[in-house]
Amino acid sequence: MCAQKKGRVFSGARPTGRQHIGNYLGAIKNYVALQDEYDCIYCAVDIHALTTLENTDKLQENIQEMMLDWLAAGLDPQRSILFVQSHVPEVMVLHTLLSMVTPYSWLTRVPSFKEKARQQPENINYGLLGYPVLMTADIVIYKADTVPVGEDQLAHLELAREIVRRFNHLFSPTFPEPQPKLTQAPLIVGLDGSQKMSKSLNNHIELAATPEETHKRVMTAMTDPQRQRKTDPGRPEVCNVYSLHQQFNPDKLDDIAYKCRNALRGCVECKGMLADGINRELKPFRERRQGLVERPGYVKEVLADGAQRASVIARETLLEVEEKMGLKAKA
Ligand code: TRP
């Protein structure tokens, strides 16, 4: 018997190309798990990617590579809808309509807007200001109630709920208030040990890397800065490599920590074990991904089917909104 699903999940990610182990542990793994309990819709948000105008020449390639990673990781196009934001243009119409119920002052106080405005003072565009309105439209056009995100998106979701409440108040209850579902993943630090793992900081390990590349990248990782020589005792609790061991070698942690603390194993050997652990864990993923790469046109087919299924829901919601706002005669 098929159990009743709990509700509808929507999440989006900017198409950044090949995904790394931080993306996997922080988001993708969770997306995969949610498919069992919810109706899931996952989207590559290409329009959002335009707000910072990075990599638009690589946009198509980045979408393709991210989707290959999502599919190989276990997002299942039979169960979930996988699509590209701009392929369902109704969301841009809803964005415009929602913008009419969104006070300007709500948008200028969003922390990510202020930060982006600081980072790119030469390109504080109108789209950047409207970013959270488009994000709200993404979610509510599918009437999703649950949104798996990282902490950095909580302010956006708060705003989404405010916009929804205002719309529902002005035009009668229409949208559920979307709730965040925080991933219970630890922060995955980059190989440089300083910040979050990220492609733009080039401190990442791609899921699709070869075992040799993985080994080479891991060897560049920072360890406990106080451990200068092999004979110095190390501190696993501050070591970035150890935090990755927790993810990829959970069965060997006691041995790893003990030998580190007592200077019985050097960092180079310890990193080799980490590379082996990562390669072991990712082997089935990498095989599945290669299988998908060898099916030309497969990703395009998945995305065309996803856009088609998403459009059916989006058109229905948009029609309801247009009627409520007086743009169309009520049916
Ligand atoms: N803003 C999100 C990010 O940068 C991406 C995103 C766009 C999103 N639309 C969304 C996330 C809708 C969740 C739901 O990560």
Side-chain angles (χ1 to χ4, degrees), residues 35 46 57-58 64 110 120 122 129 174 284 289:
Q35 297 179 115
D46 57 344
D57 48 334
K58 290 223 174 112
Q64 170 83 12
V110 171
Q120 50 180 60
E122 75 299 334
L129 185 70
T174 308
R289 194 182 200 280

Side-chain angles (χ1 to χ4, degrees), residues 52-107:
T52 50
L53 282 183
E54 280 162 14
N55 285 327
T56 62
D57 48 334
K58 290 223 174 112
L59 202 47
Q60 296 309 312
E61 181 188 327
N62 284 346
I63 291 169
Q64 170 83 12
E65 294 289 326
M66 183 167 87
M67 282 296 161
L68 281 169
D69 284 337
W70 281 10
L71 290 163
L75 290 191
D76 175 1
Q78 305 291 327
R79 288 194 287 164
S80 301
I81 296 179
L82 306 181
F83 78 110
V84 177
Q85 190 181 30
S86 69
H87 295 181
V88 183
E90 284 81 0
V91 77
M92 295 186 263
V93 180
L94 184 60
H95 161 261
T96 302
L97 299 179
L98 292 179
S99 77
M100 307 304 169
V101 303
T102 308
Y104 174 75
S105 63
W106 288 6
L107 296 174

Side-chain angles (χ1 to χ4, degrees), residues 1-36:
M1 201 180 79
C2 184
Q4 180 74 35
K5 295 216 174 177
K6 276 190 188 159
R8 179 168 286 157
V9 157
F10 182 97
S11 198
R14 274 173 293 182
T16 49
R18 289 188 172 197
Q19 302 291 284
H20 53 68
I21 61 178
N23 301 131
Y24 178 68
L25 296 167
I28 303 169
K29 204 173 165 183
N30 195 31
Y31 289 179
V32 173
L34 289 168
Q35 297 179 115
D36 296 333

Side-chain angles (χ1 to χ4, degrees), residues 10-14 45 48 131 135 138-139 147-149 153 156:
F10 182 97
S11 198
R14 274 173 293 182
V45 293
H48 277 116
Y131 187 111
M135 184 165 157
D138 279 332
I139 300 165
V147 185
V149 283
Q153 298 298 315
H156 289 153

Side-chain angles (χ1 to χ4, degrees), residues 168-218:
N168 287 348
H169 172 74
L170 290 169
F171 298 103
S172 83
T174 308
F175 304 117
E177 288 183 26
Q179 302 302 325
K181 193 167 176 65
L182 280 178
T183 320
Q184 294 154 358
L187 178 69
I188 303 302
V189 275
L191 296 175
D192 53 5
S194 59
Q195 299 174 64
K196 187 168 155 175
M197 184 173 284
S198 107
K199 183 171 170 155
S200 57
L201 296 170
N202 192 25
N203 62 9
H204 62 300
I205 298 171
E206 285 178 356
L207 295 171
T210 62
E212 296 72 35
E213 279 161 9
T214 303
H215 190 87
K216 227 163 96 188
R217 300 284 290 183
V218 170

Side-chain angles (χ1 to χ4, degrees), residues 242 245 252-260 265 270 273:
Y242 184 75
H245 275 304
K252 303 195 178 75
L253 289 179
D254 289 347
D255 170 73
I256 292 167
Y258 178 79
K259 290 194 172 144
C260 174
R265 182 184 286 129
C270 189
M273 287 176 67

